[in-house]
C-alpha cells in the first residue's frame, strides 16, 4: 500500500463532540497496532515513510490530533491540552478494538503517549505495550518553549507550495538534513487551500494554552509529568536529537535512571526533532518494537 486510508472517530469535549481523523496503514485485522502521534503543529502524515516501513508487520495508525490536519477544530481552545488529547486517544483505542498498542510519539505526541501509558488497566497492564518518546521528556527547556510559541498560531498565507516549504524548512532546522523533494513531501500535508494560495493546516488557537504557561504552571506540569513517567512499567525507548534544544542531556540521562529506565539513543546532526524517516532511525525503531521477549 502506497497511500493510507483516512477515517474518523467521534470524541467528547467540553462543548460537545468533535471528530478526530486518523490515517491507517496495513491490515485492519492485524492485532499488532502501532500508533504514531505527531508534534504540536504537525499532523499524522509526518509518519508516511515510517508507516510504509512497518505496515507489513503492524496495523499503523497515525492520528491528526484535534485542531490539526483533517480533524475538527475545537470551540474552546482550553481543550488543546494533553489530558484532553489522552482522552481522545482512549476513544481511538476503543474504535480500534485493541487493549494494547505500541506507541511512537514525537514531542507533544510523546507526552500524550506518556499520559496514556501511565493509566493502568484494571488488569494491571498498561494500554501501551512499548513506548517510544521522540525527543521529549517531563522537563521541557524554557528556551525551546519560547521558540515554538513565537511561531505557532501566526496567521500566515503562502502564494505557492515552494514558499510554504521555504518557511517550514526555516522554522524546522532541527528536523535534520533533507532533500528539497523531501521538504516538499513534508510540506504538502501541512497546507490547506485558501484563496489563490495556502494556509497552514491547524487551528491557530492551539497556541493559546502554550502562551498562557507561567513559570508556576510549568513547574507544576513538570512535576506531574515526572510522576506519570515514574509510574510507567512498559519498555521505553527515548530518542534524542543530539542538538535538541527541547530535551536536555540532563533530562535524558535522568530518564534512563528512574521510572522505566528508558533505553536512550541519540541521533547526530539532528535537533528537535528527528523525523524518523531515514534508514538509521527506522532501524532503531524496528529493533525496539519487534524485540519481543
Amino acid at each position: 500500500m502506497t497511500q493510507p486510508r483516512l477515517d474518523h472517530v467521534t470524541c467528547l469535549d467540553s462543548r460537545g463532540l468533535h471528530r478526530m481523523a486518523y490515517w491507517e496503514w496495513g491490515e485492519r485485522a492485524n492485532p499488532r497496532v502501532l500508533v504514531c502521534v505527531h508534534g504540536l503543529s504537525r499532523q499524522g502524515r509526518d509518519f508516511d515513510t515510517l508507516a510504509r516501513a512497518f505496515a507489513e508487520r503492524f496495523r499503523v495508525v497515525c492520528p491528526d490530533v484535534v485542531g490539526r490536519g483533517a480533524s475538527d477544530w475545537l470551540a474552546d481552545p482550553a481543550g488543546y491540552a494533553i489530558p484532553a488529547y489522552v482522552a481522545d486517544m482512549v476513544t481511538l483505542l476503543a474504535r480500534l478494538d485493541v487493549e494494547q498498542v505500541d506507541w511512537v510519539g514525537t514531542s507533544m505526541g510523546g507526552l500524550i503517549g506518556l499520559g496514556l501509558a501511565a493509566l493502568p488497566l484494571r488488569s494491571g497492564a498498561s494500554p501501551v505495550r512499548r513506548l517510544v518518546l521522540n525527543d521529549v521528556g517531563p522537563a521541557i527547556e524554557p528556551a525551546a518553549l519560547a521558540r515554538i510559541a513565537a511561531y505557532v498560531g501566526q496567521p500566515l498565507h503562502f502564494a505557492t507550495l515552494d514558499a510554504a516549504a521555504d518557511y517550514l524548512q526555516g522554522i524546522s532546522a532541527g528536523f535534520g538534513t533533507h532533500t528539497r523533494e523531501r521538504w516538499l513531501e513534508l510540506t504538502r500535508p501541512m497546507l490547506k487551500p485558501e484563496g489563490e494560495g495556502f494556509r497552514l493546516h491547524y487551528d491557530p488557537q492551539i497556541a493559546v494554552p502554550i502562551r498562557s504557561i507561567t513559570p508556576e504552571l510549568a513547574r507544576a506540569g513538570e512535576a506531574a509529568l515526572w510522576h506519570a513517567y515514574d509510574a510507567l512499567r512498559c519498555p521505553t525507548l527515548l530518542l534524542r536529537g543530539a542538538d535538541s534544544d527541547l530535551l536536555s542531556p540532563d533530562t535524558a540521562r535522568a530518564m534512563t535512571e528512574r521510572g522505566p529506565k528508558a533505553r536512550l539513543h541519540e541521533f547526530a546532526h539532528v535537533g528537535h526533532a528527528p523525523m524518523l524517516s531515514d534508514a538509521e532511525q527506522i532501524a532503531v525503531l524496528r529493533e525496539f518494537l519487534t524485540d519481543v521477549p
Side-chain angles (χ1 to χ4, degrees), residues 3 63 69 72 94 110 127 154 177 199 203 208 217 238 243 253 288:
Q3 295 298 322
D72 287 346
Q154 296 299 320
T177 302
R199 61 171 172 81
D203 181 359
V208 171
L217 286 174
L238 176 62
D243 301 325
R253 188 179 309 109
F288 176 72

Side-chain angles (χ1 to χ4, degrees), residues 85-100:
Y85 300 152
V86 170
D88 282 1
M89 297 305 164
V90 171
T91 303
L92 175 63
L93 264 59
R95 161 63 66 85
L96 300 177
D97 195 24
V98 290
E99 289 194 358
Q100 276 195 319

Side-chain angles (χ1 to χ4, degrees), residues 117-128:
L119 300 174
L121 293 170
R122 183 167 295 181
S123 64
S126 167
V128 178

Side-chain angles (χ1 to χ4, degrees), residues 79-278:
Y80 292 132
I82 299 298
Y85 300 152
V86 170
D88 282 1
M89 297 305 164
V90 171
T91 303
L92 175 63
L93 264 59
R95 161 63 66 85
L96 300 177
D97 195 24
V98 290
E99 289 194 358
Q100 276 195 319
V101 299
D102 291 327
W103 190 282
V104 174
T106 295
S107 196
M108 178 190 76
L111 296 182
I112 298 169
L114 169 58
L116 180 65
L119 300 174
L121 293 170
R122 183 167 295 181
S123 64
S126 167
V128 178
R129 187 189 74 101
R130 291 198 164 207
L131 175 64
V132 179
L133 301 175
N134 184 23
D135 210 64
V136 73
I140 296 173
E141 293 300 297
L145 196 62
R147 173 180 60 79
I148 293 167
Y151 70 75
V152 170
Q154 296 299 320
L156 302 173
H157 184 273
F158 305 100
T160 65
L161 172 64
D162 278 297
D166 289 342
Y167 169 77
L168 291 173
Q169 185 175 0
I171 64 169
S172 309
F175 290 3
T177 302
H178 299 280
T179 66
R180 182 61 176 180
E181 180 181 4
R182 177 62 178 150
W183 274 113
L184 292 172
E185 289 175 357
L186 289 169
T187 299
R188 288 186 185 95
M190 293 288 292
L191 304 177
K192 289 191 174 182
E194 182 179 69
E196 296 183 357
F198 305 94
R199 61 171 172 81
L200 292 174
H201 67 97
Y202 62 81
D203 181 359
Q205 298 280 61
I206 66 171
V208 171
I210 301 296
R211 292 176 181 149
S212 67
I213 295 176
T214 63
E216 293 75 19
L217 286 174
R219 286 193 293 271
E222 180 178 334
L225 287 170
W226 275 120
H227 179 77
Y229 184 78
D230 288 338
L232 296 182
R233 296 296 178 265
C234 58
T236 301
L237 173 65
L238 176 62
L239 304 177
R240 181 176 183 272
D243 301 325
S244 176
D245 65 345
L246 187 139
L247 176 63
S248 73
D250 287 345
T251 297
R253 188 179 309 109
M255 292 171 72
T256 68
E257 298 169 348
R258 58 189 285 185
K261 296 184 178 178
R263 182 190 311 177
L264 173 63
H265 189 101
E266 287 194 345
F267 296 113
H269 312 300
V270 183
H272 182 75
M275 286 303 293
L276 308 182
S277 59
D278 69 27

